[in-house]
Amino acid sequence: MTDTSDPKTYPFVVVSNRLPVDHTIDENGDVKWEHSPGGLVTALEPVMRSNEGAWVGWAGQPDLDVDPFENDGITIVPVPLSAEEVQRYYEGFSNDTLWPLYHDVISPPTYHRVWWEAYVAVNRRFAEKSASVAAEGGVVWVQDYQLQLVPKMLRELRPDLTIGFFDHIPFPPLGIFSQLPWREAILEGLLGADVIGFQRADDASNFSRAVRHLLGYSTTRPYIEVPVDDESAPRSRRGKTVRRVLAKQFPISIDSADWESLSRRPDIQARAREIREGLGNPKTVILGVDRLDYTKGIRHRMKAFGELLSDGRLSVEDATLVQVASPSRERVEAYMALRDEIELTVGRINGDYATMSHTAISYHHHGYPREEMVALYLAADIMLVTALRDGMNLVAKEYVAVRHDNDGVLILSEFAGAADELRSALLVNPHDIGGLKNTIMRAISMPKRDRVTRMRALRRRVLDNDVARWSAKFLQALEDVRPGSSISAIA
Ligand code: G6P
């Protein structure tokens, strides 16, 4: 780790709520920087490593003011948050207002004016920090729902910059988005970007519709015309001076080749066999891997599995459900309630159906390193992704990437962004418990030939459209909007 506290600037800056590393203290009281959880970090890290850039974000702990430093080839620029800001901006507005609102109000969103004020103040701090480290004419790529006001704030501070924004989570339909008391400010905040990327075409059209109805701006898909007071700007058909913002889908992916190469390692393959043995060698291993979040439909999948056992269509010798539920947002009430509910359900199902040699649900409230995840994916005959709403769901893509044996069945919720691309999965509506049960049974009895045909098609898609291609496409779109900027050097 080298200290780079001099006011250096960077041609490429990524801004996200969470840094790719979390500040932690080990048992001896020493500071450690650990890899942080979540799809965003997984997706962006390889992009950052291959471009000389800086990453602006929060280190995951309150009241921590650390100078910029270099970690594993990436310059890290921490933004401090007070304990009160963590509570109001992160746990409050980001994860108890926006998160449930943007995920179809599966859990009721809470609206508090003091949370909104903290969100504005913290977004301003992120914008100021980014403005201070971005080189003249540079590119700043802002990430996700926690920072939707940053593009506009940054454009006001630094009109020379090219600004991208990527929304990793769904953008809700107008009827739901309209609940938000600060809906216009959020739309204006996002429109400060030159390019706004979404996971699905539906998200982009929900956004354009909200802009048309709530702000009255013209949209001609995929462009939005934002009125500006600049006589040299181009004119719209109605003769107004406008800035054109591109809003369209750029489905995110994973570093597919890295996942695949891990799956070819003999020690990881041996570990996969060991996992199956540890489970008592059931005929079928079904796997769920999620952050412990109410959007993921973990209860729905447990209900379906529990009913298959109680109906006698499955026994614990036939099938075990392995559920990895990594701890997440543990101080937000909806997450605490969900954990209690899931753990009660696991206890009940295991109490009713487990035998001395076989458990029904093997439940793990941990995150695991990538190697162990690959072994789990290899050990699983069926991957069960039952999200009620999900921006993309990278777990589905990870499972596909490691199955170089072309075997395994992916059951995928049609409400996950990944369903737009992974059409050869068994697509399900997780609210339809009867349908979900039948799909699980269909996956269990699917002939090998059909499994291989489907997995081949899925793999072509995931290996082709990897995270490098995702970022290249996004950066190319920025270059197209602002030709001559320094993006071409990066992309
Ligand atoms: C999702 C969000 C990310 C977030 C991650 C982990 O993937 O899109 O922005 O970082 O969840 O959540 P956390 O609240 O722990 O950062």
Side-chain angles (χ1 to χ4, degrees):
M1 222 180 271
T2 41
D3 181 16
T4 54
S5 50
D6 57 316
K8 198 175 160 196
T9 59
Y10 301 83
F12 184 47
V13 177
V14 165
V15 193
S16 67
N17 173 60
R18 237 177 226 290
L19 285 167
V21 283
D22 265 350
H23 180 278
T24 54
I25 310 275
D26 69 12
E27 54 285 1
N28 307 321
D30 295 332
V31 169
K32 277 200 342 199
W33 290 93
E34 273 180 4
H35 209 264
S36 28
L40 190 148
V41 164
T42 317
L44 279 173
E45 230 174 19
V47 186
M48 284 304 281
R49 271 213 195 89
S50 51
N51 297 295
E52 198 235 337
W55 196 318
V56 175
W58 172 51
Q61 289 288 318
D63 295 317
L64 193 78
D65 206 353
V66 188
D67 283 334
F69 62 91
E70 212 185 291
N71 182 279
D72 221 356
I74 301 174
T75 298
I76 302 286
V77 183
V79 176
L81 296 185
S82 69
E84 190 180 78
E85 285 167 342
V86 172
Q87 196 243 323
R88 293 180 176 180
Y89 147 79
Y90 169 70
E91 291 162 354
F93 199 78
S94 296
N95 290 320
D96 209 10
T97 304
L98 293 173
W99 182 268
L101 182 74
Y102 282 31
H103 288 88
D104 288 356
V105 296
I106 295 166
S107 167
T110 307
Y111 304 112
H112 281 316
R113 281 161 288 178
V114 286
W115 288 3
W116 165 250
E117 282 156 20
Y119 186 80
V120 176
V122 171
N123 270 248
R124 188 165 305 287
R125 190 170 314 141
F126 272 82
E128 282 164 0
K129 184 63 94 178
S130 310
S132 75
V133 295
E136 178 69 26
V139 178
V140 179
W141 193 1
V142 184
Q143 310 290 327
D144 231 356
Y145 63 101
Q146 305 92 342
L147 301 175
Q148 293 173 99
L149 305 179
V150 171
K152 176 163 188 248
M153 292 171 170
L154 192 54
R155 179 170 296 277
E156 281 164 6
L157 291 166
R158 292 285 306 273
D160 60 296
L161 297 174
T162 301
I163 303 169
F165 181 90
F166 189 76
D167 179 18
H168 292 250
I169 70 173
F171 195 88
L174 177 64
I176 291 183
F177 181 69
S178 299
Q179 284 187 15
L180 189 66
W182 308 279
R183 57 202 190 183
E184 287 88 359
I186 292 281
L187 296 176
E188 293 282 12
L190 289 168
L191 288 169
D194 294 288
V195 174
I196 308 173
F198 296 93
Q199 302 281 26
R200 305 181 96 156
D202 280 355
D203 299 318
S205 61
N206 286 344
F207 175 73
S208 299
R209 180 143 189 263
V211 168
R212 262 194 325 274
H213 282 257
L214 298 170
L215 300 179
Y217 298 168
S218 310
T219 66
T220 321
R221 208 175 283 175
Y223 292 100
I224 294 171
E225 293 183 337
V226 180
V228 286
D229 277 338
D230 171 3
E231 281 310 308
S232 63
R235 286 185 186 270
S236 69
R237 268 176 302 166
R238 292 188 202 141
K240 287 190 199 147
T241 46
V242 291
R243 194 167 58 78
R244 289 208 319 164
V245 174
L246 176 68
K248 65 173 265 205
Q249 71 277 18
F250 294 86
I252 202 169
S253 194
I254 56 168
D255 44 348
S256 317
D258 286 9
W259 283 93
E260 199 205 53
S261 73
L262 282 176
S263 72
R264 292 185 188 275
R265 256 172 53 185
D267 57 327
I268 292 180
Q269 292 174 2
R271 174 68 190 138
R273 287 190 293 274
E274 196 178 278
I275 289 171
R276 285 189 80 103
E277 273 159 33
L279 294 168
N281 275 321
K283 289 190 205 108
T284 303
V285 174
I286 306 173
L287 176 64
V289 174
D290 310 85
R291 272 185 313 99
L292 185 45
D293 194 299
Y294 49 80
T295 58
K296 304 291 184 180
I298 303 172
R299 281 181 299 135
H300 295 62
R301 100 182 50 140
M302 286 185 176
K303 186 165 181 57
F305 184 65
E307 283 191 18
L308 287 172
L309 293 172
S310 71
D311 297 345
R313 289 169 81 182
L314 284 180
S315 74
V316 288
E317 287 79 23
D318 292 329
T320 299
L321 170 61
V322 178
Q323 177 64 54
V324 175
S326 53
S328 187
R329 306 173 191 165
E330 291 186 283
R331 297 192 332 173
V332 179
E333 215 169 292
Y335 289 76
M336 294 182 210
L338 176 76
R339 181 173 177 196
D340 287 346
E341 214 180 318
I342 298 281
E343 294 183 356
L344 185 72
T345 308
V346 171
R348 286 218 173 118
I349 294 178
N350 280 339
D352 285 344
Y353 303 106
T355 64
M356 292 299 168
S357 53
H358 290 88
T359 138
I361 302 180
S362 172
Y363 170 77
H364 309 269
H365 186 237
H366 305 288
Y368 288 105
R370 214 182 243 221
E371 287 77 4
E372 184 71 356
M373 291 315 305
V374 173
L376 267 167
Y377 291 142
L378 287 175
D381 304 290
I382 298 173
M383 183 78 212
L384 197 45
V385 177
T386 55
L388 306 177
R389 183 53 79 195
D390 207 336
M392 174 54 65
N393 197 288
L394 295 179
V395 161
K397 293 193 170 179
E398 289 166 8
Y399 180 65
V400 169
V402 308
R403 297 310 305 229
H404 63 262
D405 56 355
N406 288 318
D407 207 346
V409 182
L410 173 64
I411 298 181
L412 177 61
S413 164
E414 59 194 72
F415 300 110
D420 277 5
E421 291 175 87
L422 304 183
R423 304 306 295 173
S424 301
L426 293 184
L427 296 179
V428 285
N429 169 5
H431 297 281
D432 172 10
I433 301 295
L436 183 53
K437 286 162 71 179
N438 291 339
T439 307
I440 294 173
M441 294 310 291
R442 180 172 167 212
I444 290 176
S445 59
M446 187 182 282
K448 169 122 192 201
R449 210 188 42 233
D450 295 358
R451 301 200 298 262
V452 168
T453 312
R454 284 175 180 273
M455 187 53 80
R456 277 219 175 99
L458 293 171
R459 287 178 58 71
R460 262 198 302 279
R461 184 75 205 196
V462 171
L463 290 170
D464 237 37
N465 188 32
D466 66 358
V467 73
R469 181 168 287 199
W470 166 75
S471 61
K473 277 190 184 153
F474 189 92
L475 294 171
Q476 183 59 51
L478 274 178
E479 159 83 7
D480 294 345
V481 172
R482 281 216 163 179
S485 64
S486 55
I487 307 158
S488 42
I490 296 162

